[in-house]
Amino acid sequence: MSPFNFHTTGEEVVSAWPEHIKGRTFLITGPSNKSLAAGAAIDLAKKAPEHIILVGRNKAKIDPVVEQIRSVGAGVQVTFVQCDLSDHDSVRKAADEINANGAIQKIDVVINCAGVMNIHDYTLDKQGIEMTFSACHVGHFLLTNLILPKVLAAGKGARIINVTSVGHTIGPVRFDDPNFSAGAAYDPWSAYGQAKTANILYSVELSRRLADRGVVSNAPHPGGIAETGLVRDTEMHEFDAIGPIAVRNTGREFRLDHPFKTIDGGVSSILAAALDPGFADKPGIYIRDCQPQTPYEYAADPEAAKRLWALSEQLVGQKFDF
């Protein structure tokens, strides 16, 4: 077990395992400026990766991150791929672009970090899927599965990281009603809980399916981060609503992370999930403060993970039999 904890920074993590970065290729979603994904990309760039692929919606918000990567990582190849994870046509186009790019022979680590939280008004994506579930899970499910040949090309030791949250303790995946009865049963915190539970379950099932290929998938919780756009648009009093919702959904009290971390502190658990050699034989785990933790049982249930896979295939209209 590593010595890292709540206080660890991303820079400390990459400094501990530079040999797991040098010459490797990393794909990261959601890397807008001043985001956790951007922080992870910039820290990785300091240790000579071969290639960093940034997948996001808005190039203008990612251009500053590209410049920072180039300023700290001389010689690192950076590729931006435009992708709206809530639009499956856009996801398929992005996957085609990645798969056709001859400069991307393999992808050693995928970090699925993009997400949304606390969408006040019930919103559907282009396909008719509730937007939080779409952006946090379904889009990542489709993109990751479509580019999986590039991950498998990296061989044993490749990793797929699905960033989750303590928000998974707000509630499980609503398998019989993931769209909240066309909005009649919607609340933004239950939607977030469902999506963050899905991130863990997806890691559980990916790890099971890819065990014989040596690919591991884990789900880190970065902590409460006040500096990112995910939290910046939420008033502190809005978090007070989570308690009774979590009790209704799970029968248990919700505990909000406190104190909050900086972006560099939040990046540490994401990078530990991607790099720590101690996690190579711990597939499908939940990671908090750079250490393995136990999520709520519904987020670690192998049967629920299989059920999520089937639901996700139904939502994207494609079977993935690997």
Side-chain angles (χ1 to χ4, degrees), residues 200-243:
I200 305 174
L201 290 174
Y202 181 38
S203 290
V204 170
E205 182 63 5
L206 263 178
S207 290
R208 184 188 73 82
R209 287 173 174 254
L210 301 177
D212 63 346
R213 321 282 185 92
V215 178
V216 167
S217 180
N218 288 321
H221 164 47
I225 319 292
E227 303 169 65
T228 67
L230 194 68
V231 176
R232 206 162 41 232
D233 296 330
T234 298
E235 300 288 341
M236 288 306 298
H237 70 83
E238 294 183 72
F239 290 104
D240 295 338
I242 298 176

Side-chain angles (χ1 to χ4, degrees), residues 66-86:
V66 173
E67 292 306 311
Q68 291 177 76
I69 289 171
R70 288 175 174 158
S71 70
V72 302
V76 177
Q77 185 173 354
V78 186
T79 298
F80 167 74
V81 178
Q82 197 283 328
C83 180
D84 180 348
L85 287 164
S86 68

Side-chain angles (χ1 to χ4, degrees), residues 14-26:
V14 298
S15 295
W17 298 295
E19 69 276 15
H20 294 292
I21 302 172
K22 186 175 181 179
R24 303 183 86 199
T25 296
F26 295 80

Side-chain angles (χ1 to χ4, degrees), residues 5 9 15 25 36 63 80 106 126 142 149 158 180 222 269 298 300:
N5 54 43
T9 66
S15 295
T25 296
L36 285 167
D63 281 343
F80 167 74
K106 62 182 176 58
K126 179 180 174 180
L142 180 59
F180 295 89
S269 286
Y298 55 69

